[in-house]
Amino acid sequence: MSLTTCTIHVTQRQERAVYLTSELARALKLAKTRNVTLKLGSKKLTLGLKLLNKTGKHVYLPSSVYAQLRLPRLGNAMIQLDDKELRIGPMIGILTAVIKGSSSPFGSRTDFIRQFMRVGADHAFYFGFSPSDVNWTDQTVVATIPREGGWTRKVIPLPDVVYNRPPSRRAEKLASINAFKQRFIKRGIPLFNWSFFDKWDVYNLLEGTDSYRFVPESHINPTSGQIKDMLDRHKFIYLKPTGGDLWDRDLPPDLQSEAGILRPLPSGRAQRAAPVQQIRFADGPPEPAKRTPEQLCGSTGHPPDRNRQLSDRLPVPYDEEQQERVGRRRHRRQESRQRRRDYACAHRRPADDA
């Protein structure tokens, strides 16, 4: 087995063959043979082999072969020889939600996913796709591929490997999505990042590693006594559900603990930072001294009488920065709902093969 990089071109030659420069053939340790199998993702073609007396590591494909192979792009890529099989790629598909016809096809995560695709872009073919983009019968996918200044969509073969980046935990748990992922496994296509991690599982995995020293003190299902002790030793603490993500998951209105009930803000949401003044216990420490209505609720926009009614229920007012964060979170949730709708549409499609 030999592996190297090459540059792929299209040639006007009409013969059904793949053309390799002699330097590339030597780098691959390619023995003299009349035919080879050219593989790209799930696509295989049996072609004649022609050697060109040229320098450099180059592959030339006739336009008819290029169209039949459905190559995502020309340019640099890895090429591997295994017996008489030439494999171009790998093809790496990122499974996520795709907004069709948008200049930001992956919504707010477009720049994030583009960074994935930039890594090793001269060695592999990267593309994004959603469940509705896959045609199992033809073994093809409508790929969203980066190009200079934007994105393009093109029908290409199924990938060599899938990197799963679901838009949300809710979409990930749909039965149709699990069945969709299983179809890759049945075809021998590896799928990485099968699901979101539970935070406590990650904590336990890091325990005993060099990275563990960077992990803050953490407790699962803490008692009120444990929380009081942490509040005594730290400026503030974070309350997060183990299955939440992006800090935008609701906590239940009452968090049951062994020694009593821990109550978050009356809104029912857990703040990103939970200062001491924002946490109350049924049997815990005494409540902090109340502030005046003007100090406490000056930024709420309510009339003075209403502010006084709120003074017992709003320990810390939202400032302008917090209001902006709330607005951004609301916008992200709206985008997330749209991505989930696109991502989950696969279960509405009839199964076109086993």
Side-chain angles (χ1 to χ4, degrees):
M1 181 183 298
S2 303
L3 178 68
T4 187
T5 57
C6 68
T7 304
I8 304 172
H9 312 267
V10 170
T11 178
Q12 297 304 314
R13 297 171 185 256
Q14 298 300 316
E15 191 172 357
R16 184 177 171 80
V18 55
Y19 298 83
L20 274 62
T21 59
S22 55
E23 182 177 336
L24 176 58
R26 287 193 299 270
L28 291 172
K29 300 178 182 178
L30 180 62
K32 290 185 178 180
T33 181
R34 302 181 65 177
N35 297 289
V36 293
T37 299
L38 188 61
K39 185 176 187 298
L40 176 73
S42 62
K43 187 71 174 180
K44 289 185 179 182
L45 297 176
T46 300
L47 304 168
L49 175 65
K50 301 292 182 180
L51 299 183
L52 303 175
N53 189 20
K54 291 185 176 182
T55 59
K57 300 175 182 178
H58 299 275
V59 175
Y60 295 86
L61 300 175
S63 56
S64 59
V65 173
Y66 171 75
Q68 190 176 1
L69 196 61
R70 300 181 186 271
L71 198 70
R73 58 166 176 80
L74 299 174
N76 296 334
M78 300 293 292
I79 186 168
Q80 176 182 313
L81 175 65
D82 187 2
D83 195 10
K84 290 187 178 181
E85 183 177 87
L86 284 173
R87 302 180 63 179
I88 301 176
M91 296 251 290
I92 302 174
I94 300 176
L95 175 59
T96 187
V98 178
I99 304 173
K100 299 174 179 63
S102 172
S103 59
S104 298
F106 309 112
S108 60
R109 301 191 303 167
T110 298
D111 290 339
F112 179 60
I113 291 179
R114 186 188 288 273
Q115 290 178 20
F116 284 155
M117 298 182 176
R118 284 176 180 163
V119 178
D122 290 339
H123 295 79
F125 302 104
Y126 291 89
F127 63 90
F129 71 104
S130 69
S132 61
D133 291 325
V134 176
N135 185 321
W136 294 110
T137 302
D138 295 340
Q139 295 193 64
T140 58
V141 56
V142 182
T144 301
I145 303 170
R147 65 177 181 184
E148 188 174 353
W151 301 84
T152 186
R153 284 173 64 79
K154 184 176 181 179
V155 177
I156 63 175
L158 291 177
D160 293 299
V161 62
V162 174
Y163 178 46
N164 187 35
R165 292 293 305 187
S168 69
R169 293 175 185 268
R170 186 178 303 174
E172 168 194 75
K173 294 177 181 177
L174 292 173
S176 59
I177 297 304
N178 284 323
F180 177 81
K181 292 186 292 187
Q182 287 289 349
R183 298 180 84 165
F184 285 105
I185 305 303
K186 291 178 181 178
R187 284 166 172 76
I189 300 174
L191 190 146
F192 291 93
N193 195 38
W194 185 265
S195 63
F196 282 99
F197 284 107
D198 180 282
K199 291 181 178 61
W200 190 245
D201 290 341
V202 175
Y203 182 86
N204 290 327
L205 287 172
L206 291 173
E207 191 171 7
T209 67
D210 293 339
S211 301
Y212 187 70
R213 65 182 186 274
F214 301 111
V215 179
E217 177 186 357
S218 303
H219 298 279
I220 190 169
N221 298 325
T223 65
S224 58
Q226 286 177 314
I227 296 177
K228 180 181 181 299
D229 176 65
M230 292 181 71
L231 289 173
D232 289 340
R233 292 182 289 109
H234 304 287
K235 182 178 179 181
F236 55 83
I237 63 175
Y238 296 91
L239 300 176
K240 289 177 64 64
T242 58
D245 58 286
L246 300 178
W247 301 83
D248 286 336
R249 296 293 299 270
D250 288 341
L251 286 172
D254 291 335
L255 298 179
Q256 300 291 336
S257 68
E258 295 176 7
I261 299 176
L262 169 64
R263 302 182 186 277
L265 286 177
S267 63
R269 296 193 64 85
Q271 298 296 315
R272 290 196 174 197
V276 176
Q277 294 92 331
Q278 289 182 308
I279 298 180
R280 299 180 182 180
F281 300 87
D283 61 345
E287 295 184 11
K290 293 187 176 69
R291 304 179 187 181
T292 64
E294 290 74 16
Q295 292 173 324
L296 189 63
C297 304
S299 61
T300 62
H302 294 293
D305 290 343
R306 178 61 174 158
N307 281 345
R308 289 185 174 86
Q309 296 174 17
L310 291 173
S311 62
D312 291 335
R313 296 192 291 124
L314 290 178
V316 178
Y318 274 10
D319 56 23
E320 293 183 2
E321 184 178 352
Q322 287 175 307
Q323 291 175 0
E324 289 178 1
R325 287 201 297 268
V326 170
R328 287 196 297 269
R329 289 200 297 270
R330 185 179 300 113
H331 178 69
R332 288 200 302 271
R333 285 195 297 271
Q334 292 171 349
E335 285 191 335
S336 177
R337 282 193 292 269
Q338 179 61 45
R339 290 196 300 270
R340 287 197 298 268
R341 284 194 290 268
D342 291 339
Y343 191 84
C345 67
H347 76 285
R348 294 194 296 268
R349 293 183 48 175
D352 42 20
D353 73 334

